[in-house]
Amino acid sequence: MKTFDEQLTEMLRELTDAFPVNRPELPQAGPVSPAPRRAHSRLLATAAAVLVIGMLAGLWALGNRSDRPTVDSTVPPTVVTSAPVPSTTITPTTSAPTTTPSADEIDALAGWVTPPPVQTPDVADLPKLLPAEPLGASSYRREFTTPDVPETSVRSQIWYSTERSEFLFVTTRLDAPPQPSAADPLGPWDHAEFAGAADGFFFFEVRDPTGSVTFKSRTLGEDELREIASALQVRPAGDGWELPRGDWTDSLNAWVGGVAAAFVIYSDDAGFPIAELGFRTGTPGLFEPRWPGLPITRTTFGERTVWAQENDGLVSVVWAAGGDVVASFGYRGSLDEALGIVATISEVDDATWQTVRLNTDPGDGCEGVIC
Amino acid sequence: MNNSARLRRVDDDRQHSFESFYTARFDWAVRLAYGLTGDRGIAENIAQEAFMRMSARFAAINQPAGYLRASIVNGVHSHGRRQLLERRHRPNRPDESTPSHLIEFADVLNALPLKQRTVIVLRYLEGCDDGSIAALLSCRPGTVRSLAHRGLQTLKERLS
């Protein structure tokens, strides 16, 4: 008798295996023929460009390496599986030992202040922000998430580069991280590791016995992250890292403790969400471009700088709402309309806030405009 | 991961060109996207967009398969989500490829909230552990367990 879990796996496999996949062929060279889908066409065009660039790069490399033997592409390369290792005699050096301290001897996190104690966040501390008008919605409601409390506070810094239209998330932990068995030192750090990709981000981490720093980026490569990590300098106040070289600017710099969030969701007659206003304390998690690769619009309303993106009729706007609170606004409509609404968002008194119906069963919180 | 293992992993991945990776993984990517969305058009678009993004920077990606999975999940939760929400307000017809004995299952799966469905598919179709799913969804493993519990509860109730 199969368990429900086993039956579920079987049904999912059968369902997805039965789905017919039509894989478009990648072009080898030459013009790209019209494809039935827009994304398909773009994929083929991009792949063709990559192939052409690769071929040109290969030709350039061959042209600049005339001392190398020519390669007959019709002959498979020989794979050497057990090359003999030449014996080596090591001659003791007579030069004076260097005095440069090794990464083991440097505390890369020296100069940092002690993190503040973690406090359980209270949703009552979240700002009570509402737009001037209810956006033409038939109904709107408030929702809260259950506070999430970590063991220690971490320092969260977000840097933005106008030139790159790129956010770089830098999270510093001042608790002893587990040390890897084999160290891979980088500058003052005992260990550096490119930790792969998840959810569209690359992760790079450097560690010392007293703490660690994680870099999260959508576009920066390992070499660039290594360069930034190896050159980190502590801010004079001891509560963050100085900005790296280039046009990076501070977008957020705060201790992150417990997390609490609230949302106001506006719906149309059919219950379909048309707008979502969110506030989150204790995390910069919402302070992210929702759609990598799409342009980011930076707009200032008085002292409020907001970051907006538009994607096929859906708009996402985020801004720092004081302290470690991040506000977000998701809207189905145009960018101009969304920014016009954001400009009217302001703090309301508790009585006004309480008039917004409280939804006590928000499900998985995924029913708003932007999940 | 130690240095030699990391370099070996990089070498393993870079032995494969984008073309061979595309050939080997395209079907899997579309099927994963279909499992996550239940919609043929959205699944194909999300998979193609993911490969398109990867093609321009393939040599710099250390773990192409992991990156592709993350791109698919991310695509479903950003680009595809609006379309999925809109679909909820349209009559839901099962895809013509759905085997007749799985139509009810597909209907129930389509009715799950997106995050619950994502957790169910990643856990039971892809065999991902809760920690990996939490990393993909940028949430805690406890949240993954909670979403899985609620999704399983709904599936059991409606399929019994």
Side-chain angles (χ1 to χ4, degrees):
Chain A
M1 183 69 179
K2 288 176 182 166
T3 64
F4 182 78
D5 288 4
E6 290 168 340
Q7 290 177 45
L8 182 55
T9 299
E10 266 186 19
M11 288 191 288
L12 283 168
R13 282 186 184 151
E14 197 177 346
L15 186 69
T16 53
D17 285 348
F19 176 72
V21 177
N22 299 313
R23 174 164 47 85
E25 290 297 323
L26 284 174
Q28 294 305 307
V32 181
S33 25
R37 306 188 75 86
R38 186 169 54 94
H40 182 171
S41 305
R42 288 162 62 194
L43 171 63
L44 295 178
T46 307
V50 169
L51 284 174
V52 170
I53 291 167
M55 288 166 64
L56 290 173
L59 288 171
W60 180 86
L62 285 174
N64 284 278
R65 295 186 173 200
S66 54
D67 55 322
R68 298 290 175 87
T70 51
V71 178
D72 181 356
S73 62
T74 61
V75 180
T78 306
V79 178
V80 179
T81 54
S82 57
V85 180
S87 61
T88 305
T89 304
I90 299 174
T91 307
T93 177
T94 55
S95 59
T98 60
T99 55
T100 305
S102 68
D104 284 346
E105 297 165 325
I106 302 171
D107 181 1
L109 289 151
W112 272 77
V113 296
T114 304
V118 171
Q119 294 180 333
T120 302
D122 187 344
V123 290
D125 295 337
L126 288 166
K128 299 176 178 65
L129 297 171
L130 287 176
E133 301 292 334
L135 315 183
S138 296
S139 65
Y140 52 106
R141 62 186 189 274
R142 286 180 291 142
E143 296 181 355
F144 295 100
T145 60
T146 307
D148 187 356
V149 185
E151 291 181 5
T152 55
S153 295
V154 302
R155 188 71 179 184
S156 186
Q157 292 178 267
I158 302 176
W159 297 329
Y160 179 73
S161 164
T162 310
E163 189 180 302
R164 295 166 171 272
S165 290
E166 162 76 304
F167 286 93
L168 175 59
F169 300 82
V170 184
T171 305
T172 304
R173 291 178 174 79
L174 293 161
D175 51 355
Q179 294 300 305
S181 54
D184 181 7
L186 172 70
W189 302 96
D190 283 2
H191 182 75
E193 183 171 330
F194 192 69
D199 204 19
F201 286 98
F202 293 108
F203 290 86
F204 181 71
E205 185 175 82
V206 288
R207 296 186 212 169
D208 225 27
T210 52
S212 65
V213 182
T214 304
F215 299 85
K216 179 173 138 182
S217 161
R218 289 195 189 271
T219 61
L220 291 178
E222 181 171 2
D223 289 345
E224 291 169 296
L225 292 172
R226 278 182 170 272
E227 187 183 337
I228 291 171
S230 62
L232 286 176
Q233 296 288 328
V234 186
R235 287 154 50 110
D239 59 353
W241 303 106
E242 295 281 16
L243 290 165
R245 284 177 295 174
D247 74 330
W248 296 99
T249 54
D250 260 329
S251 294
L252 194 75
N253 188 359
W255 289 107
V256 172
V259 175
F263 299 92
V264 181
I265 296 173
Y266 296 81
S267 304
D268 63 14
D269 289 341
F272 190 63
I274 56 174
E276 173 188 276
L277 182 57
F279 322 101
R280 188 166 293 205
T281 183
T283 175
L286 287 177
F287 206 82
E288 297 175 358
R290 296 301 306 178
W291 300 294
L294 293 184
I296 300 171
T297 302
R298 183 184 188 186
T299 308
T300 302
F301 303 112
E303 294 182 352
R304 181 188 300 166
T305 298
V306 306
W307 315 82
Q309 280 187 302
E310 188 175 23
N311 184 8
D312 194 19
L314 194 63
V315 180
S316 169
V317 187
V318 291
W319 67 96
D324 63 349
V325 175
V326 170
S328 64
F329 182 62
Y331 183 69
R332 297 168 61 82
S334 73
L335 179 62
D336 286 344
E337 287 171 346
L339 291 176
I341 294 165
V342 169
T344 73
I345 291 174
S346 61
E347 186 106 23
V348 297
D349 58 31
D350 191 59
T352 306
W353 182 249
Q354 296 300 335
T355 61
V356 184
R357 181 171 64 87
L358 180 62
N359 180 15
T360 54
D361 182 21
D364 65 2
C366 207
E367 299 299 319
V369 175
I370 295 176
C371 183
Chain B
M1 181 183 295
N2 63 36
N3 208 22
S4 59
R6 186 163 63 90
L7 291 173
R8 191 164 57 245
R9 183 193 70 192
V10 170
D11 286 343
D12 286 347
D13 286 339
R14 287 184 181 164
Q15 282 174 5
H16 300 288
S17 64
F18 175 72
E19 296 96 300
S20 61
F21 178 76
Y22 172 78
T23 305
R25 287 288 182 171
F26 186 83
D27 290 14
W28 168 81
V30 175
R31 291 204 163 96
L32 171 60
Y34 179 65
L36 292 169
T37 62
D39 187 292
R40 177 193 293 251
I42 295 173
E44 287 176 345
N45 272 336
I46 287 171
Q48 287 165 6
E49 292 278 357
F51 277 104
M52 189 176 68
R53 284 194 297 274
M54 290 184 77
S55 67
R57 54 180 308 168
F58 188 71
I61 298 173
N62 274 350
Q63 293 176 291
Y67 186 96
L68 179 59
R69 177 187 282 135
S71 284
I72 297 287
V73 172
N74 198 35
V76 168
H77 282 259
S78 51
H79 303 275
R81 185 166 175 271
R82 184 177 65 85
Q83 294 160 286
L84 289 169
L85 281 167
E86 286 172 348
R87 195 187 60 187
R88 287 190 190 181
H89 297 270
R90 298 200 305 261
N92 189 20
R93 292 180 192 159
D95 188 272
E96 59 190 22
S97 68
T98 306
S100 56
H101 66 284
L102 290 179
I103 287 177
E104 187 188 0
F105 171 65
D107 283 347
V108 177
L109 201 61
N110 285 342
L112 285 182
L114 184 57
K115 279 190 178 175
Q116 289 181 26
R117 178 182 185 135
T118 303
V119 169
I120 295 290
V121 169
L122 290 175
R123 190 195 260 191
Y124 293 99
L125 179 66
E126 287 289 294
C128 295
D129 60 41
D130 291 347
S132 305
I133 299 171
L136 281 168
L137 296 179
S138 300
C139 65
R140 295 191 312 154
T143 306
V144 171
R145 287 191 286 276
S146 169
L147 290 166
H149 174 75
R150 284 151 61 188
L152 285 172
Q153 198 171 26
T154 304
L155 288 170
K156 283 177 183 170
E157 281 171 6
R158 298 190 186 169
L159 293 174
S160 60

